[in-house]
Every structure is written in C-alpha cells, then in structure tokens.
Amino acid sequence: MKKFSLCLFLSAIAIVCGAKEINVFTPNTSLVLSVKEGSPVELLYYGDRLDNTAQLSAAQFQGEPAYPCFGYGSAFFNASALSVTHSDGDLATNLLYVADSYSCKDGVHDWLVHTRDSKHKFEVDLCYRSYDNCDVLEMWTVIRNGEKKPVVLEKYASAALPVRQGDVWVSHEHGKWAAEACLVEEPLNAGHFEVSDIAGTKNAFLNRPNILLSLDGKPSENSGRTIGAVLCWSGNFKMSIDTEGYMHHHLVCGINETGSRYTLKKGESFTTPALALVYSNEGKGGVSRNYHRWARHNGKIHDGLGLRKILLNSWEGVYFNVSQESMEKMMDGVRDLGAELFVMDDGWFGRKYKRNNDSYALGDWYTDTDKLPQGVPALEQAAAQRGLKWGIWIEPEMTNTLSELYEQHPDWVVANPGREPICGRGGTQLTLDMSNPAVQDFVFRVVDNIMKETPDTYYIKWDCNMEIINTGSQYLSADRQSHFYVDYQLGLIKTLERIRAKYPELVIQCCASGGGRVNYGLMPYFDEFWVSDNTDAEQRLFIQWGTSMFFPTGAMAQHVSASPNHQTGRELPLKFRFDVAMSGRLGMEMKPSDLSADEFEFARKAFSTYKDIRPIVQQGDLYRMISPYDNTGYASQVLVSEDKKQAVFFAYKIRQYVNQNKPRFRFDGLDPDACYRLTELNAAGAPEGWEGQIFSGKFLMNTGLELKLPGVYSSCVIKAEKVD
Ligand code: GLA
C-alpha cells in the first residue's frame, strides 16, 4: 500500500465557481464531494483514486446530493436518506453546507462536513473515515436537534451513493436456518430494489446487510469494477436501490425505519451506524479482500490478528445430554487428537427447571448439579489437566417462561404493552429487553459470574436463538415504543462494551442458531462466528463461499462433524469433511470416540497439519476461483499470506458425471516471479506428479495444475511455499 505524506494537500482540492471539492480518499480510491457555503453538499464521484483537479472536474456525477433529504424540492422520493418531522410539523429538510474539517492520526483519516437546515436549527454532520491499510471507506452521520422542541426522525439512513447506470448487477445473500448466505446475483433494472430485514435480533439469516454492485455486467470473481456496501449494524436494516431516470441508480443504506420512528429532544443527537464502502477493479474478490483486511487490521473483528485455537464443541456429540462423564470422555478424545480447546454447549444449567431440552431454564445460569455434581469448576480443571483450554455456551439475552428468571422478572421480557408475549423456540422462549438497563446489567453479570466462578474460562459461545416477534418494550414509555428496535441494539452494544472493557482477552463466538448474526455491527466485540448449524461439508461449501464475500476466514468457525451428517443425512469421507473445515477456523462437532482407528489417526494428523498452516488460513488473503454456484461440480480457492511467501490451495469435487469436463486448477494471488514448492496436505492416495516440485507463481496462476480428484467428494489441499 502507498504511504501518504500529502494528505492535507490531497484532501482539500480545487475551488471551482466558489465550490470546493473534497477528496475523501483511500490508498486506491476517491469519493469526491463538492461543497459551497449555503448550498447542499454534492457527491461528484466514487471510483479509482483521483489526485488532480482536472480529473476531478471531468468525473462529475452532475449534482447528486451527498445526503438526500425528503420534502424540499427534491426529486428523490424513495431515495431520500433522511426524513424528519420538525418541531413545528414541517416535513421538509434542506441541509446546507456550513464547514468541513480533516484530520489524520496513525493511518486513520477522518473528514467531517457540517451542514445545517436552511430553516430550522437542525444539524447533520456527514462523517467519512478511511484507513491506510485497505480501500474501505466508512460513511455515517451525526444528526443533532437544536430546535426548541422534539423532532421525529422518520427515516435516518447512514449514507447514499449514486451509481452510474449501465450493465450493473447486484449480488446479495439470502438464507434461512442451516442454509445461510446463499449468493443471489441479478441485473439491476428500473424500479425499486431492496434487501432488508426486520427480525430485530438475527439480522443476517434471511437477508444480510451487505451487497455488491458489479458495474461491468455479470459479476466476476477477479475482474470488473465492483462496489461493496456493508452496513455495520446488528438490527433491522434496509439497503435500497432506486432506478428512476436514465443516469443513476440511487443506493441508500441504513437502519430500517419500519416501526422505528426516533424522537430527538432538544439538544439530543443520533449517530447512524457506518456504511462501509469498497471500490475495486478486481471484481468480487478484490472487494472481499479489502473487507477482510479492514476487519483484521482495524478492529472490525475483535482481536482480528489473533490466531484461533482448534476446538471441540459438544453440541452434536451429546446435545443436551451433558454430564461430567460425557464431557471428560470427549475431552480425552480431543486431547489425543491434538486439539487445544474444549467447549461445553447447551444443557449444563438449570436449578428448579432443568435444561434437558429447549423449553426450559434460559436465564437460570446455575449449574445443573444432577448432571454435573462437582460443578463447572471441576470441568474447567479437567480440561486444564488434559492441557486443554475451557469454553462454555450461554444465551444471555434470552429466557423461557419455564424458568426462575421469568417467574421473578416477567417485566424483563420483550412484549407489546398489555399483550401476552408470543413464544419462540421450545414453545416457551422469550427475548429479554436489552433496552432496559436492569437487563443490560443482568446480561453483563451472566458473563461476569462465569468469569468469577471459572476464571480460566478462555472461550464463550454467545448464542441468540430468537428473533423479535413481540414488537414492544415493557420498559420504554408509551411515547418511546418506536425506539425499541434501536434501543435494543444500543443496549446490547453497551453491554458488550462493558464486557470487553473487563475481559478484553476472552474469546467470544457470535452464534445465532448458526449464522443469524453475522454482521459488522457486532463483530468488533466477537472473535469469530458460527457459520451455520448445518455442518454438512457439501452444503457448507456454498454457505462458506457466500459468507466469505464479506467476512475473513479466520472468523469463520468450521467444524468436522459425524457421518451421516445430522442435518442432511449425507455420508461424506472424513478427508473431504476435514478439507472443507480446514479452509477456516477448524474445529470438531462430534464424539471423537465415534471415529474408527484409521479415521482417528487421519484426524490427528490433520489437526497437526492445520497448526502449521493456521497463520496462512486464518490471516491470509482469500482468492476464490471455481465457484460451487457455477455448477461445474468443482470448487476451488486459495489463501495467500500477506507477504505472498506461502499459500494453501483447496479444490473440491462435489458432482460426478460420465465424461465430465475437468478444469486445470489455477492458483491466484501469488508472486508471479517467485518460485513455490508444492506439498499436498491430508494426502490420501499416491503422490501427484507435482508433489515436492517447484513452479513459478506465474505458471501456477496462468497454467495451473492437473489434479486427479477421483470420484465424487474427493478433495485436494496443497501448500505452496516460496523458495529462494
Ligand atoms: C443453536 C446453536 C447450536 C447449539 C444450539 C444449542 O441452535 O446454533 O450450535 O448451540 O443452539 O441449543
């Protein structure tokens, strides 16, 4: 990446007709604003980096508002980002430029453009942030009510972006339980396009707050101008694109305003969540790699540069049948396999009500002494005696009607005032109201008490298995009910900040019935996420492929599970299951004692191999090559260390046809002029001809290798190491 010594010069550019252009830059991209006192701020350009005024003036968008507002002479009916009912009932907002500032510290650049309504004392700061280590640009607003009486924010999106029309395609992810992040790609036509969510807590199950716009036709992995847009928010969201007229698509992204009118009293302000934009000339892959680097290097995933341990999670091994004996038996097995961490999943708690199934005891975080007579500390010690770190499952934002907590605090649950709450999982589950400070304190104490009782706890799996299906708060006053969706998220984040302040080193997994909460609103507090409850290696290829569009492999928890698989019933070879799981954070989700002697030995070696490649897999740059979505029956990808000295290549075969076309398998992302020695990992058959041989990066990327990949569900993992 280039270094910037001319930041100030570059940030404030030309003055044309009294207007000043502001170059909001990243190492390789620019977003250009035009500002003039007493005029709305305009967005002129977003694309390749521009550093001179001639290019800037030639690149104009022709007067698109940077933050379109509803109601005053605007043609942007659907595409307004801000809509306000002012204190006198006026529905119009007309934001005019007042001043701007720029600062740079430790490779982080901040721009602030201050605007004020032409009639009301109502102000909005347009905020922009970029980093020297990636091409991600964050945009958000701070909305301030200086009026004498309250104003109501009817819509308060984070940002808007005009995108020039052409053959523009949109890629988005759609899913459901056990089938998350399915990639959907479609051309953008005239009219209204929207991906949105209103689930309240699990905002990444159905639609995810991330999209890609491919500007040069059908999306391609490694070529074509591509824009990424990610909303860093864990609650309801809306990303809409309106195509009216012939010039631009209008992208608007932010909190979903449905049921969420937000009142600001005099002097109060609201900060919208950041929209993280990427522009790349290297297709979807270029956008992904930027998000991955941004997340790893800038705290967008907690401890983004830390290496994650290999773990065994007890869920699919024993489900709710937790006992001292069953846990210790699994620990013995996983120790012998060479794993590093043991996690006890659901089923360990309950006093009056026992957690023997999903209808009971959420909120009663007392050890079930029928199952674990010696308590959790004995298990923590048992793990330590085996050289394993200890981890435990909780679902702290939830309760069941069949729990002591609910008996004591029925007023703590999310419920519409005066209505019986409707229950979720197990017929009795309810969500606790995170807008209530007493609940925030309770949730903090769930973690704090665990850490007090078992101070060596290394890992917590934080689950969330219920959406908001009762849209109301028993805590908020009648005139604040429409704040509930937003205040839930703010309460959750406040609690996570408190936990992180006290336990910065605790590893916390974000889980929501699988990948229901994979979003950049929460990931700054979580080290990783559970990609899906579906552990079938074939379907995981698709789920992991989609998830990797925006999230780095080091944060993706990928576990080898039993065969036949518990979700799909499919039988898959252990090597295939390992080769799929090893492309992210490797773990296991089964009883080691269910492995045959040969399988056990294979798994032991694979764990050891993974330790060697872990830095490349968890911290490398991802190049996706053959997409499983293209239905060729193959899939391939490679992870390349940032210094390009090492790479790990993965190829899979998931269909078998007679006379099936077979590609040569090309690498990507290597240094073309360097030489690499190849070694197959997890090898099962006779060595391939290229085993131990040296090839140039150019050869591997342009010509590629022949791989045998015999039969369906065969796979190949190759380590490439640079030789001097
Ligand atoms: C959710 C999680 C699972 C498991 C169960 C326990 O479904 O996604 O991994 O923890 O809860 O009840």
Side-chain angles (χ1 to χ4, degrees):
M1 296 282 173
K2 292 182 222 158
K3 288 265 175 272
F4 304 100
S5 50
L6 301 175
C7 297
L8 265 169
F9 167 74
L10 296 172
S11 102
I13 306 283
I15 302 196
V16 184
C17 314
K20 181 174 75 166
E21 286 161 359
I22 301 174
N23 187 5
V24 177
F25 58 80
T26 71
N28 299 297
T29 69
S30 286
L31 181 135
V32 181
L33 302 169
S34 172
V35 296
K36 185 177 172 187
E37 211 169 321
S39 297
V41 180
E42 290 182 356
L43 206 162
L44 300 186
Y45 169 86
Y46 181 49
D48 279 331
R49 170 91 176 242
L50 302 179
D51 282 334
N52 71 58
T53 46
Q55 288 177 336
L56 284 174
S57 29
Q60 298 209 0
F61 265 142
Q62 301 189 352
E64 291 284 326
Y67 194 56
C69 299
F70 176 81
Y72 192 66
S74 166
F76 298 94
F77 300 111
N78 281 322
S80 56
L82 182 71
S83 170
V84 184
T85 301
H86 292 279
S87 51
D88 62 354
D90 183 6
L91 296 177
T93 303
N94 180 29
L95 295 177
L96 307 179
Y97 169 79
V98 177
D100 68 281
S101 64
Y102 164 78
S103 62
C104 173
K105 195 170 175 238
D106 301 332
V108 181
H109 306 256
D110 275 294
W111 292 261
L112 190 148
V113 181
H114 186 54
T115 68
R116 190 179 300 133
D117 183 72
S118 54
K119 173 182 155 193
H120 303 283
K121 242 186 137 194
F122 178 88
E123 299 174 338
V124 176
D125 290 339
L126 311 181
C127 307
Y128 303 86
R129 174 170 295 167
S130 75
Y131 305 85
D132 279 354
N133 52 27
C134 61
D135 283 317
V136 177
L137 178 62
E138 296 168 17
M139 306 160 73
W140 71 95
T141 54
V142 181
I143 304 167
R144 222 172 279 115
N145 178 20
E147 300 179 32
K148 291 204 175 87
K149 289 188 182 153
V151 300
V152 179
L153 307 183
E154 313 283 353
K155 181 177 183 184
Y156 38 105
S158 299
L161 183 75
V163 175
R164 188 63 188 248
Q165 289 185 34
D167 190 7
V168 179
W169 283 55
V170 61
S171 309
H172 52 106
E173 292 163 320
H174 187 78
K176 35 199 136 357
W177 177 76
E180 295 90 336
C182 302
L183 199 58
V184 180
E185 306 194 313
E186 54 190 291
L188 208 45
N189 293 315
H192 183 76
F193 168 90
E194 182 176 309
V195 276
S196 59
D197 185 79
I198 199 82
T201 47
K202 292 151 81 172
N203 78 350
F205 244 154
L206 297 177
N207 298 305
R208 292 194 164 177
N210 323 312
I211 59 167
L212 297 169
L213 294 170
S214 299
L215 309 187
D216 297 314
K218 200 165 186 305
S220 148
E221 260 305 327
N222 289 316
S223 66
R225 297 169 304 145
T226 310
I227 292 173
V230 163
L231 188 73
C232 306
W233 180 242
S234 48
N236 299 339
F237 70 88
K238 190 195 256 188
M239 304 179 100
S240 64
I241 303 171
D242 279 89
T243 307
E244 296 148 358
Y246 63 92
M247 191 74 92
H248 292 120
H249 304 285
H250 295 106
L251 172 68
V252 179
C253 305
I255 290 175
N256 192 329
E257 67 274 17
T258 306
S260 292
R261 298 169 90 225
Y262 212 90
T263 303
L264 292 184
K265 290 190 204 142
K266 177 179 163 50
E268 283 183 342
S269 66
F270 187 89
T271 302
T272 61
L275 177 72
L277 284 183
V278 170
Y279 173 88
S280 169
N281 289 316
E282 293 176 9
K284 291 185 281 187
V287 171
S288 297
R289 286 185 289 281
N290 269 294
Y291 282 122
H292 299 172
R293 280 192 182 217
W294 166 72
R296 287 200 299 265
H297 289 278
N298 304 298
K300 305 302 167 183
I301 283 185
H302 186 259
D303 190 24
L305 295 172
L307 293 180
R308 275 62 171 156
K309 296 198 183 300
I310 303 173
L311 64 82
L312 180 111
N313 184 62
S314 69
W315 181 242
E316 285 193 29
V318 296
Y319 292 101
F320 290 101
N321 299 321
V322 166
S323 68
Q324 180 86 24
E325 198 195 338
S326 66
M327 295 297 99
E328 288 203 23
K329 210 169 159 213
M330 287 174 100
M331 285 187 213
D332 282 341
V334 78
R335 172 205 52 202
D336 294 346
L337 286 171
E340 300 152 318
L341 164 65
F342 178 80
V343 183
M344 177 170 66
D345 207 286
D346 200 353
W348 60 268
F349 54 93
R351 192 166 56 181
K352 176 173 168 191
Y353 299 94
K354 306 282 182 185
R355 184 72 174 169
N356 292 326
N357 60 47
D358 57 12
S359 301
Y360 297 94
L362 288 173
D364 300 347
W365 302 106
Y366 316 101
T367 310
D368 178 348
T369 45
D370 291 344
K371 289 179 180 172
L372 301 171
Q374 297 165 50
V376 176
L379 284 171
E380 186 197 37
Q381 276 167 25
Q385 280 157 8
R386 289 162 177 81
L388 298 169
K389 301 271 184 205
W390 168 251
I392 195 164
W393 179 95
I394 52 172
E395 195 179 355
E397 297 153 79
M398 302 288 161
T399 190
N400 295 104
T401 51
L402 299 170
S403 71
E404 292 179 58
L405 182 74
Y406 185 67
E407 285 173 353
Q408 287 155 17
H409 296 288
D411 55 318
W412 278 10
V413 303
V414 171
N416 300 80
R419 291 182 200 266
E420 262 312 293
I422 293 167
C423 294
R425 190 184 185 201
T428 59
Q429 185 157 338
L430 290 171
T431 310
L432 297 177
D433 181 356
M434 291 300 293
S435 73
N436 183 340
V439 172
Q440 293 165 20
D441 197 52
F442 171 80
V443 171
F444 170 78
R445 285 187 201 294
V446 173
V447 175
D448 200 38
N449 290 341
I450 286 175
M451 297 310 289
K452 280 183 182 147
E453 198 191 6
T454 46
D456 290 334
T457 301
Y458 176 84
Y459 179 104
I460 280 183
K461 175 173 173 178
W462 179 308
D463 215 333
C464 166
N465 287 313
M466 189 173 168
E467 296 82 5
I468 302 288
I469 57 175
N470 302 286
T471 314
S473 166
Q474 301 186 75
Y475 168 75
L476 294 170
S477 57
D479 62 343
R480 285 284 190 279
Q481 285 299 306
S482 64
H483 287 206
F484 164 67
Y485 277 128
V486 168
D487 286 0
Y488 183 101
Q489 298 305 327
L490 298 180
L492 173 61
I493 286 165
K494 198 169 155 196
T495 309
L496 288 164
E497 274 170 356
R498 193 173 162 202
I499 290 168
R500 276 304 178 200
K502 189 157 180 192
Y503 302 108
E505 284 173 12
L506 182 65
V507 177
I508 313 183
Q509 183 190 72
C510 181
C511 177
S513 320
R517 244 185 186 178
V518 178
N519 64 60
Y520 277 115
L522 290 185
M523 286 319 293
Y525 310 100
F526 290 89
D527 301 79
E528 61 167 37
F529 53 83
W530 184 221
V531 175
S532 177
D533 270 357
N534 188 338
T535 55
D536 173 290
E538 180 182 339
Q539 203 173 343
R540 267 293 184 119
L541 275 181
F542 292 82
I543 299 172
Q544 290 169 190
W545 191 273
T547 304
S548 78
M549 287 293 145
F550 300 93
F551 291 88
T553 42
M556 291 168 59
Q558 307 185 165
H559 296 180
V560 173
S561 64
S563 179
N565 179 265
H566 290 193
Q567 293 80 41
T568 61
R570 203 190 323 266
E571 291 188 41
L572 293 173
L574 187 67
K575 172 175 162 53
F576 187 83
R577 284 178 273 151
F578 261 99
D579 287 354
V580 171
M582 276 170 78
S583 65
R585 199 280 281 137
L586 176 65
M588 201 172 228
E589 190 88 15
M590 64 184 288
K591 281 193 215 149
S593 56
D594 285 347
L595 295 167
S596 69
D598 285 352
E599 286 178 330
F600 199 91
E601 188 50 18
F602 181 90
R604 197 185 59 73
K605 284 195 188 138
F607 276 177
S608 161
T609 301
Y610 184 78
K611 287 176 190 164
D612 174 45
I613 60 170
R614 168 164 40 200
I616 315 167
V617 168
Q618 297 189 359
Q619 295 291 326
D621 284 327
L622 175 68
Y623 292 80
R624 292 176 299 254
M625 272 95 63
I626 304 175
S627 168
Y629 285 88
D630 287 344
N631 288 319
T632 59
Y634 296 94
S636 68
Q637 63 180 45
V638 64
L639 282 144
V640 184
S641 62
E642 287 191 9
D643 61 9
K644 296 193 184 288
K645 286 189 176 157
Q646 294 179 303
V648 183
F649 171 90
F650 298 85
Y652 309 99
K653 186 169 176 202
I654 52 175
R655 298 279 179 276
Q656 169 89 347
Y657 310 111
V658 173
N659 272 331
Q660 183 174 6
N661 285 342
K662 191 188 208 180
R664 266 182 90 97
F665 289 87
R666 297 194 294 145
F667 286 53
D668 204 346
L670 302 177
D671 174 354
D673 300 323
C675 288
Y676 295 87
R677 186 191 305 279
L678 304 184
T679 315
E680 185 174 1
L681 308 178
N682 295 345
E688 301 248 21
W690 40 259
E691 176 68 27
Q693 303 297 314
I694 294 171
F695 297 88
S696 71
K698 193 171 168 193
F699 177 89
L700 291 170
M701 293 193 290
N702 292 346
T703 307
L705 300 175
E706 288 294 350
L707 301 181
K708 288 199 193 92
L709 293 177
V712 70
Y713 303 125
S714 54
S715 49
C716 184
V717 183
I718 305 167
K719 183 175 179 191
E721 276 175 296
K722 198 167 168 177
V723 289
D724 294 327

